Amino acid sequence: MATTKSEKRISKENQKLREEIEKKHGKTPEQLYQEREKRLYDAVQLKVPDRVPVIFGGTFFACKYAGLPYSVAYYDAVAWKKAYKRMMVDLEPDAYGSAVAESGLALEALDTNYTRWPGYNLPPNVAFQTIEHEYMKEDEYDLFLSDPSDFIVRYLLPRVYGVMQPLAKLPPLMRMGTNLTMMATVFASPEFEKLARAMKKAGEEELKWQKEMGKFNEEMATLGFPPALLVRGGVQPPFSGFTNTFRTWRGVVKDMFRQPEKLKAALEKLLEYNIARAIPAVRTPGKPTLAMSGEPHRVSDEFLSPKQFETFVWPYWKRAMDKTYELGYDIIEMFFEGRRDKQLEYFTEFPKRSMLIRFAETDIFRAKEILGERACIMGNVPIALLTVGSPQDVEEYCKKLIKVCGKDGGFILRCSTDYTQEAKPENVKAMIDSVEKYGRY
């Protein structure tokens, strides 16, 4: 296969970065990778590593760091990758977190109603936004429950993507059977021809984007940086996904009071599906198996009363976690967005060394006290502190985190969220440098 000019340029850039890294550390990037990965896995397994590990990432922060508009994360993959690598080599965390860039041209072709992004329907230096619409109406539970796939194809997708509107004219999927002759005439209409062209355009742009992005993780590995952690599999509980994709938060809150049994039936349907499609853990010698099984959004103390949490969230979440462990996974990774101070005790029933929990605004010191034998604690440097504080403020906060949460291992220093674009670079550096100053065991 021929090597493109872009690939040759990237290869040369990576080689220059590798030489820079080796000159600075007196070690190869491969050696640094092994040290960093071991540090992470030791912490996750509640062992005492050589020092506290630190993770940092940020799709838009990389742009800011390099003096580029946020729009390059959607329209210039090569420039975005170069910025991200430069950021990592300069700041030197142990691993990278969020690194999500996607094709703006593919999104344009799909005419999405779900997202706004820089360089298209937002200014170049405004981070992406999610649009809240009730893509599932309050009187459509029976349609969803009778055939979720049909509902997604004929109702949800036409509402989320403008180009998908012709799908609403399809007959119910369960009626299709093997006689597609009559239905084929539908696809001869101008609307479906337009849909086909739009999908072709989106597919071509996405393939082009993927080629330009290349093997991002492999490139990062050649520079000595592992991803945050390789998490594969697990059974996802349903509440966050249902509120994000179908009814939105406003709709679900109304349903809790007006039609709670329908809401619970929908959550049960989604959980059953997630359980049915879950796959057993695949073991790698010398490493624990990690899975995702968390409720990241809209289940925090600010959103739900304890009664609502116990009714609409916890029964499904616990079953999802139990099933994940049954599938052979050792550790479940979860992100606790918002405050979860009232939920910590629910997780004391799980085995020791069985969880990795990233905390945002929860009292992380109390979390360490309650779950320190069961979970690796990760977090929770506030974005507000990184944005408006001084490097000294950041260093003092991180010093306390390391001293209290890092005691006896089982702690990873990380921002409260990966939406770090407003952070000051000097504050991010102070956070990362703090583990060398205070995190050695």
Side-chain angles (χ1 to χ4, degrees), residues 110-111 153-155 157-171 176 183 186-199:
L110 293 172
D111 189 21
V153 170
R154 298 197 304 123
Y155 292 86
L157 290 179
R159 294 167 181 170
V160 176
Y161 299 99
V163 300
M164 295 291 183
Q165 290 180 7
L167 297 181
K169 297 184 177 181
L170 291 175
M176 288 186 181
M183 194 188 72
V186 176
F187 290 91
S189 68
E191 288 177 303
F192 273 92
E193 290 179 4
K194 183 179 178 180
L195 168 59
R197 289 194 299 271
M199 290 298 292

Side-chain angles (χ1 to χ4, degrees), residues 51-55 92-94 398 402 411-413 430-440:
R51 69 157 169 77
V52 169
V54 56
I55 295 173
E92 295 189 306
D94 290 303
C398 293
I402 291 166
F411 174 64
I412 298 173
L413 185 69
M431 180 190 80
I432 295 171
D433 289 349
S434 69
V435 294
E436 285 291 346
K437 290 184 178 181
Y438 308 109
R440 292 284 175 183

Side-chain angles (χ1 to χ4, degrees), residues 26 42 46 68 81 121-122 134 138 150 172 179 181 185 275 315 330 338 342 345 382 395 409 415 423 438 441:
D42 282 349
L46 274 61
L68 299 172
K81 277 203 305 180
N121 42 18
L122 288 176
E134 290 186 8
E138 61 184 337
D150 179 79
N179 185 13
T181 306
T185 60
I275 290 174
D330 301 312
K342 298 177 183 177
E345 282 78 5
E395 181 176 321
C415 303
Y438 308 109
Y441 287 97

Side-chain angles (χ1 to χ4, degrees), residues 66 109-110 133 137 149 155 161 173 180 196 222 252 276 278 314 320 328 370:
L110 293 172
H133 293 299
K137 310 301 181 183
S149 295
Y155 292 86
Y161 299 99
L173 299 185
L180 296 182
T222 65
V252 163
W314 184 240
I370 294 174

Side-chain angles (χ1 to χ4, degrees), residues 1-136:
M1 183 179 294
T3 303
T4 65
K5 291 183 180 180
S6 177
E7 290 170 333
K8 289 181 180 179
R9 184 171 73 251
I10 291 170
S11 179
K12 289 181 179 179
E13 289 173 359
N14 288 343
Q15 185 57 40
K16 288 182 66 175
L17 290 172
R18 283 177 60 87
E19 292 170 359
E20 178 181 333
I21 292 166
E22 290 183 23
K23 182 178 180 180
K24 180 177 182 180
H25 292 278
K27 299 177 182 179
T28 67
E30 286 73 23
Q31 290 173 314
L32 293 170
Y33 185 101
Q34 291 176 359
E35 291 177 5
R36 289 163 174 161
E37 186 180 57
K38 183 179 187 303
R39 191 173 292 139
L40 284 169
Y41 277 104
D42 282 349
V44 168
Q45 297 174 88
L46 274 61
K47 299 177 182 178
V48 178
D50 61 332
R51 69 157 169 77
V52 169
V54 56
I55 295 173
F56 180 75
T59 298
F60 300 119
F61 182 86
C63 300
K64 177 180 180 178
Y65 188 83
L68 299 172
Y70 299 162
S71 55
V72 301
Y74 291 86
Y75 292 99
D76 192 339
V78 174
W80 181 83
K81 277 203 305 180
K82 184 176 181 180
Y84 202 97
K85 288 184 286 189
R86 183 73 262 171
M87 173 191 76
M88 290 293 293
V89 171
D90 287 352
L91 298 178
E92 295 189 306
D94 290 303
Y96 56 97
S98 177
V100 181
E102 56 183 328
S103 170
L105 293 175
L107 289 172
E108 287 182 31
L110 293 172
D111 189 21
T112 175
N113 300 313
Y114 189 73
T115 304
R116 292 176 182 158
W117 63 95
Y120 179 61
N121 42 18
L122 288 176
N125 266 325
V126 175
F128 83 96
Q129 300 171 359
T130 298
I131 312 303
E132 286 272 309
H133 293 299
E134 290 186 8
Y135 296 114
M136 173 181 166

